[in-house]
Every structure is written in C-alpha cells, then in structure tokens.
Amino acid sequence: MPMLGLGTWENEDPEECAESVRLALETGYRHVDTAQAYGNEESVGEGIARADVPREEVFLATKVWIDELAYDDVIESTRASLDRLGTDYVDLLYVHWPAREYDPEETFDAFAELVDEGLVERVGVSNFEPEQLDEAREASDVPIFANQIECHPMLQQETLRAYAEEHDVHTVAYSPLARGEVFDAPELNAIAEKHGVSEAQVSLAWLREKGVTTIPKATSEEHVRDNWESLSLSLDAEDVETIDGIDRSRREVDPSFAPW
C-alpha cells in the first residue's frame, strides 16, 4: 500500500473528481481511496480509466456503508461498487464505521467470501477503536490489513496507532490536514517556513515519520502536486519533537454513531 494516496471525500463533482484522479495518477500517485457513501465511485473509476497508468499498478480502496453491512448487503453492494468503479476487484475493502447494520461475524463472513471470490484483495476497517479492532480481528477469517482513522498533528491518536502497530494493522490517516486547520497551527507554520514548504507537506511528512499512510483530498493541480512533494521532505528530530508536543485534540469528524 503506497504511503501517500489521493482521498476523494466530498469530491462530488463528477468531472472534477475524475480529473483529479487522473492528474494524481499521472503525477505519480498509486493509491486512490473512495467509499460507497461518497457517491463518486463512478467518477473515480473514470479517472483511473483516463490515466495513462495500468489498473494493476493502482492500489484502489473503497468502503462499505453502515446500511450495507448485513451479509447479503455486503456482497450485493460491493459488486455494485465494482461495477461503478469499472474494475474486477479492489485492493482494499473497508467497513466504513462499526455502526447500524454492523455485526462482526456476519459482516466479516461476507468480506471473507468476497476475498475467496477474488473480488477483494485485502479487508480493513475504518473508525475502529481498540475494542472494535479486537472484535474484528477475532471475527474475521481474513487478517485485518488496515484501520483508517482521522489522524493529524491536532489529533495524534498515539494509543490507537500503537495498538494497530502491535497487531500488524496498518494505520491510514484521513483528514491528515485537519480539514485545513494545519495551515493555522503556529508550530507547523514555523517548520514550514524553516524548510520553505507548505504546512500540508509538513503534516504529511510527520505522519509518514510515524509510519502512517495518508490520503489527503486534493482537487486542484496545485494541491495534488504540493501533497506529492511531501515525499521529498525530511523532517529533523527537532521538527518531529515539536509536532509531537502539540497538546491539542481536535476532531473534525464526529458523527453521533461513532464508537468513541
């Protein structure tokens, strides 16, 4: 799984979404993340089709929504996702939230069936806390590959990251730029000025230092390229220590059905 991907949450305009995916892939990205709930799987698939990049080189992930987590619904909705994406398989299929129709045994039995059929390469979870991760690991016949969570310098998730690492589960950070809040953080302002880069690059580089995969949303060419350039940024120990010391806990995503 490439450590920098393109997030597509709230990228709802069909043409803008397709073009941002195409641009990202032709810039060098090889990881694209979407979800049934985003309403843009068809546009993501169109962007992949437009790009001059073979499908097998793209790590493609989508997520099953909370209304579709009963056994038959998982199978049916995932097949529909594949149709919309224009692909025979996804590299990673997530449970979007442990909520509503989610039942660990039933949901992961369906995920395992999709793996057996070759429609899904890996299974993951999203927005799971340690308790839900334990239940998932026990219920799933297929290893839990990743947990996708909100994670950024203002919500560092140290405990959850450590728990995932202990159990060989990759952490994937959504909203790694805190929905733009990183641009107003004085600690990141100073580090960005020091290196002559953007605060976005600093946040993405810090997460990479922590072994976290990031999927920042970007639609403009400027932002797609700026995020990509974070791969060339090396933070020094002082930079990392400064960001580690940010003593704030700000959630940007906090629905009523969240497990925390």
Side-chain angles (χ1 to χ4, degrees):
M1 178 173 60
M3 291 196 72
L4 177 65
L6 179 72
T8 61
W9 183 33
E10 296 186 338
N11 192 349
E12 297 168 354
D13 179 87
E15 180 61 21
E16 184 176 64
C17 181
E19 273 302 292
S20 64
V21 171
R22 180 200 62 78
L23 173 63
L25 291 174
E26 294 188 353
T27 297
Y29 291 70
R30 291 296 182 269
H31 180 178
V32 180
D33 181 271
T34 184
Q36 294 172 355
Y38 299 172
N40 62 10
E41 288 176 318
E42 188 171 354
S43 301
V44 168
E46 173 63 23
I48 293 171
R50 289 182 189 179
D52 188 22
V53 175
R55 165 66 184 94
E56 59 269 20
E57 293 184 13
V58 180
F59 188 97
L60 177 59
T62 194
K63 310 175 195 72
V64 181
W65 186 239
I66 59 179
D67 290 335
E68 304 288 352
L69 291 170
Y71 183 95
D72 289 341
D73 294 336
V74 168
I75 303 294
E76 184 177 343
S77 71
T78 301
R79 290 183 182 277
S81 287
L82 295 177
D83 286 343
R84 288 189 293 269
L85 288 162
T87 185
D88 295 330
Y89 69 99
V90 289
D91 297 86
L92 176 57
L93 184 70
Y94 292 100
V95 176
H96 205 152
W97 292 86
R100 204 165 298 167
E101 300 303 319
Y102 174 66
D103 174 86
E105 297 289 344
E106 187 172 344
T107 298
F108 285 110
D109 280 354
F111 272 51
E113 174 64 24
L114 291 166
V115 171
D116 287 345
E117 291 184 23
L119 304 181
V120 170
E121 293 284 334
R122 303 165 187 82
V123 304
V125 296
S126 185
N127 300 297
F128 277 42
E129 294 286 288
E131 179 182 350
Q132 288 78 37
L133 269 173
D134 274 343
E135 291 174 346
R137 291 174 53 247
E138 184 174 345
S140 180
D141 291 333
V142 180
I144 303 299
F145 179 78
N147 184 22
Q148 186 178 127
I149 58 173
E150 181 182 349
C151 189
H152 46 72
M154 277 70 77
L155 186 67
Q156 299 194 5
Q157 301 271 33
E158 300 99 323
T159 300
L160 191 48
R161 286 192 284 110
Y163 182 89
E165 184 174 0
E166 178 184 351
H167 295 287
D168 296 320
V169 176
H170 295 277
T171 297
V172 178
Y174 69 76
S175 297
L177 309 183
R179 308 201 81 182
E181 292 299 318
V182 297
F183 295 99
D184 297 321
E187 300 90 344
L188 274 68
N189 296 153
I191 296 169
E193 183 175 0
K194 169 183 169 181
H195 291 280
V197 298
S198 69
E199 290 82 358
Q201 288 189 40
V202 172
S203 183
L204 297 173
W206 175 78
L207 285 160
R208 191 174 70 251
E209 286 281 340
K210 301 298 181 182
V212 176
T213 296
T214 59
I215 49 167
K217 175 198 170 186
T219 54
S220 70
E221 182 172 356
E222 177 187 0
H223 291 154
V224 167
R225 296 194 186 283
D226 186 68
N227 292 342
W228 178 252
E229 289 169 6
S230 71
L231 295 172
S232 301
L233 174 61
S234 295
L235 301 178
D236 60 36
E238 182 182 8
D239 299 331
V240 173
E241 184 178 357
T242 296
I243 299 173
D244 288 351
I246 294 176
D247 188 19
R248 297 193 285 285
S249 183
R250 177 186 177 117
R251 279 194 187 275
E252 302 296 327
V253 181
D254 193 16
S256 60
F257 52 75
W260 44 81

